[in-house]
Amino acid sequence: MNQDRGLVVVLSGFSGAGKGTIMKHLLSKYPDCYHLSISATTRGKRTGEEDGREYFFKTREEFDEMVKNNEFLEHATFNGNSYGTPKAYVEKLVNEGKDVILEIEVQGALQVKEIFPEALLLFVTPPSAEALKSRLVGRGTETAEVVAQRLAISSKESKLMSKYDYLIINDVIDDAVERVHNIIRSQHYATKYNKAAISDLQQQLMVFAKGE
Ligand code: 5GP
């Protein structure tokens, strides 16, 4: 059976949960299975980042213009900066039957769910709050104040976790990557993603039934 369209997969998670690492491993292990949506943002470029690879870096004016022109599937503010998913790219891939992954925060994820009720929402978390804190502290790049700020954001985000379809506990990275891959693969067999195939079978059976 052929699946109707590609899946829209949203991957969210606390800052420090390792969603970026999961994405990197997933794309390198299964390069033919997934496409990553590249967001636009007003935040400054970090060392090592490239325009068009991690993000499309935009000025506030450019971003606002994109909002006005309805170019985003969703957009949200996180830590004082704007982030948005360009709509055209996601729609093109999904229409071609390809699976697209959006690595975005919770407000945006819930907007996506409204537009694509069949989107698959995955939430990544370390096994405990203690583990999350030690990952943030362990990075060594953040001040105590920033760590506290990130944990406060996580606490707020945790209230929306139950709106996601699946919880990915990132204990051992390779296991977490496999879990994400297996969940997405299994979705391809869900009846909701196979409406065209189901209707096709029904039509064929009706023809047979008439012939009898
Ligand atoms: P960072 O600045 O650390 O790269 O990302 C900050 C947060 O913004 C992360 O939670 C990331 O997943 C989220 N984010 C990145 N792109 C988008 C987007 O297009 N839309 C939304 N809503 N969030 C995004």
Side-chain angles (χ1 to χ4, degrees):
M1 276 199 209
N2 285 325
Q3 168 204 308
D4 298 345
R5 300 193 329 146
L7 308 187
V8 174
V9 181
V10 173
L11 191 75
S12 301
F14 306 129
S15 170
K19 55 190 190 307
T21 315
I22 291 179
M23 276 308 305
K24 219 185 271 166
H25 285 238
L26 193 68
L27 292 170
S28 75
K29 198 163 174 193
Y30 304 106
D32 299 333
C33 294
Y34 307 113
H35 292 76
L36 178 62
S37 154
I38 301 169
S39 301
T41 183
T42 59
R43 90 142 157 73
K45 206 190 286 177
R46 292 181 188 140
T47 323
E49 289 184 335
E50 244 175 59
D51 188 42
R53 192 180 64 193
E54 279 79 13
Y55 285 105
F56 295 109
F57 294 97
K58 302 286 176 194
T59 61
R60 162 61 49 204
E61 292 69 33
E62 287 168 340
F63 193 94
D64 290 347
E65 191 63 22
M66 289 178 82
V67 173
K68 214 170 77 190
N69 295 337
N70 199 21
E71 288 178 49
F72 289 124
L73 188 61
E74 61 73 38
H75 61 94
T77 305
F78 184 88
N79 230 348
N81 295 305
S82 294
Y83 296 84
T85 304
K87 188 161 39 180
Y89 184 65
V90 174
E91 284 179 345
K92 174 179 174 284
L93 290 172
V94 166
N95 287 331
E96 287 170 4
K98 296 178 177 147
D99 294 350
V100 192
I101 306 186
L102 280 52
E103 189 201 317
I104 64 176
E105 53 67 64
V106 289
Q107 306 161 61
L110 300 180
Q111 291 177 46
V112 171
K113 190 78 182 175
E114 267 179 35
I115 302 162
F116 289 112
E118 289 164 4
L120 176 65
L121 267 53
L122 313 178
F123 196 95
V124 182
T125 173
S128 66
E130 192 55 51
L132 179 64
K133 188 176 173 196
S134 51
R135 281 189 202 183
L136 288 171
V137 172
R139 277 181 182 177
T141 49
E142 260 70 88
T143 60
E145 199 189 333
V146 171
V147 170
Q149 211 177 44
R150 294 262 154 94
L151 289 171
I153 294 176
S154 299
S155 171
K156 251 195 225 159
E157 288 176 335
S158 71
K159 310 248 161 47
L160 296 167
M161 278 164 83
S162 55
K163 296 202 180 286
Y164 282 69
D165 298 304
Y166 291 91
L167 186 66
I168 311 294
I169 296 180
N170 184 12
D171 37 14
V172 175
I173 184 72
D174 288 341
D175 294 350
V177 170
E178 279 313 289
R179 249 171 249 151
V180 170
H181 178 64
N182 290 334
I183 289 170
I184 301 175
R185 294 333 304 151
S186 70
Q187 292 303 301
H188 283 268
Y189 304 103
T191 50
K192 64 181 172 182
Y193 296 121
N194 288 283
K195 286 182 184 146
I198 289 172
S199 133
D200 203 33
L201 257 177
Q202 287 168 337
Q203 295 291 328
Q204 291 175 29
L205 283 166
M206 259 177 12
V207 173
F208 278 146
K210 270 186 202 143
E212 288 196 351

